[in-house]
Amino acid sequence: MSMEQGRVIQAYNSFFYVQTGKGLVTCKLRGKFKKTRRSLGVVPGDRVEIDILPDGTGVVENLLPRTNLMRRPAVANLTQVMLTFAAAQPDLHPLLLNRFLVLAEWSGIPKITICVNKMDLRPGQEDYLAAYEAIGYPVLRISAQEHRGIESLRGRLDGETTVFAGPSGVGKSSLLNAVDPELSLQTGHVSEKIKRGRHTTRAAKLIEWHGGYIVDTPGFSSMELTAIDPLELPGYFPEFRPYLGTCRFQPCSHSHEPDCSIKQAAADGKIQQERYEAYLSILSEIEEERKKEYK
């Protein structure tokens, strides 16, 4: 038996497809990796050690340490997320955008970019979402239809492991098609094969591209943020960070307490009202869920 290191490209049913120096190996898992409530087991993007068996298939023996993990759909070791929205049809909902930003921060993904497609439907709004650029999130304003801004997107994908995340219907496949027609073919094929009934896995797949990977995920229909610790939530809003620890009460939930630095910053316009309201909305969702668990 020989041990090889590789990366899980896709998981389907109980098979794991692992890219190694010797090519793609179809693997099963050792029993110790079974999913539990606390652990997701082995997921696409994971780096693993496998035993290659005489028949050319493999067994996943060890899971190597992860740099980060997006929980749903589960993908590990990402370097970048492209939060993909449409400028219109469907209109971009601020709370949804902020939920995705929190998801990306919580997942520990180093580079977070907002990618807005269908900018041809908002003529003259070159500064669309400029307030988010001020926070530090790059905004790519793109029209796949008019092939505008595609070069800047393509340039950001080289050598990265990038997940495209966003709601359904924002034109993700036309974006990928504009970047490289091969990509859209591959992602379309995957989605076709893993048609999402009520019980099929919402699987992610890594597609090799220009020294890195593009991660194809099904459109998100819901996002679980209720597992976030409410005390950690403010840290997932970068513009809140300078004020953390400066409120009169510690800990402070930044919702109802007097002399709260973050509430004051929002009132003074140093923190966007839209962002502060999104924070309150996500906080109350987490707290509601916790109350249910305690009952």
Side-chain angles (χ1 to χ4, degrees):
M1 292 209 294
S2 64
M3 280 288 239
E4 282 284 323
Q5 283 197 8
R7 190 151 191 196
V8 179
I9 299 297
Q10 189 179 14
Y12 188 58
N13 289 340
S14 53
F15 292 101
F16 291 77
Y17 300 93
V18 179
Q19 188 70 53
T20 71
K22 296 180 176 170
L24 194 63
V25 182
T26 303
C27 297
K28 288 281 212 177
L29 291 185
R30 272 271 176 260
K32 64 180 177 181
F33 291 115
K34 290 296 174 260
K35 279 189 195 174
T36 63
R37 272 202 65 173
R38 297 196 72 83
S39 144
L40 284 167
V42 175
V43 305
D46 269 330
R47 295 185 178 89
V48 292
E49 284 185 331
I50 64 171
D51 253 341
I52 297 186
L53 305 175
D55 66 0
T57 65
V59 178
V60 177
E61 295 287 353
N62 293 308
L63 176 59
L64 300 174
R66 290 172 176 150
T67 53
N68 54 41
L69 173 69
M70 192 166 80
R71 289 160 181 79
R72 184 175 170 176
V75 195
N77 301 316
L78 295 159
T79 62
Q80 171 167 261
V81 59
M82 284 283 162
L83 297 179
T84 313
F85 291 87
Q89 295 176 12
D91 283 345
L92 195 160
H93 193 289
L95 179 57
L96 191 61
L97 170 60
N98 284 301
R99 288 174 67 88
F100 272 102
L101 287 167
V102 168
L103 176 72
E105 294 279 0
W106 176 45
S107 302
I109 302 168
K111 296 179 182 176
I112 301 170
T113 299
I114 300 168
C115 178
V116 189
N117 189 17
K118 305 189 188 178
M119 279 302 290
D120 47 291
L121 300 177
R122 281 189 181 268
Q125 290 199 0
E126 273 65 50
D127 62 347
Y128 185 60
L129 296 186
Y132 287 84
E133 284 177 309
I135 297 167
Y137 294 118
V139 177
L140 299 182
R141 299 171 183 88
I142 288 175
S143 165
Q145 178 85 28
E146 296 176 353
H147 216 85
R148 206 168 72 220
I150 296 297
E151 279 307 314
S152 59
L153 170 59
R154 204 179 274 138
R156 285 173 178 267
L157 300 175
D158 286 4
E160 304 281 354
T161 300
T162 305
V163 64
F164 279 77
S168 308
V170 296
K172 186 183 72 176
S173 52
S174 55
L175 265 186
L176 290 175
N177 195 30
V179 167
D180 179 351
E182 274 295 293
L183 273 175
S184 138
L185 276 172
Q186 289 201 54
T187 56
H189 178 65
V190 173
S191 319
E192 210 45 48
K193 217 168 82 174
I194 308 178
K195 263 283 193 278
R196 194 147 62 84
R198 279 187 52 193
H199 301 294
T200 45
T201 46
R202 309 191 37 182
K205 180 187 182 190
L206 278 69
I207 295 164
E208 285 191 73
W209 196 78
H210 289 218
Y213 293 94
I214 305 277
V215 184
D216 182 38
T217 62
F220 287 61
S221 54
S222 71
M223 262 184 298
E224 278 300 313
L225 296 177
T226 49
I228 295 177
D229 178 335
L231 292 176
E232 288 176 6
L233 180 64
Y236 301 135
F237 287 75
E239 71 275 41
F240 288 18
R241 290 172 196 156
Y243 304 100
L244 296 179
T246 63
C247 303
R248 179 166 138 205
F249 292 99
Q250 299 294 338
C252 180
S253 74
H254 317 298
S255 58
H256 58 274
E257 298 88 342
D259 299 333
C260 163
S261 308
I262 284 175
K263 263 170 48 177
Q264 192 57 51
D268 295 345
K270 292 175 182 157
I271 287 174
Q272 286 178 64
Q273 202 54 39
E274 184 171 288
R275 290 277 284 168
Y276 180 61
E277 283 167 14
Y279 165 76
L280 292 178
S281 168
I282 296 167
L283 179 67
S284 78
E285 187 185 325
I286 294 170
E287 288 174 340
E288 280 307 303
E289 190 58 34
R290 296 203 154 206
K291 276 183 206 154
K292 276 189 219 157
E293 282 174 14
Y294 288 131
K295 275 181 183 169

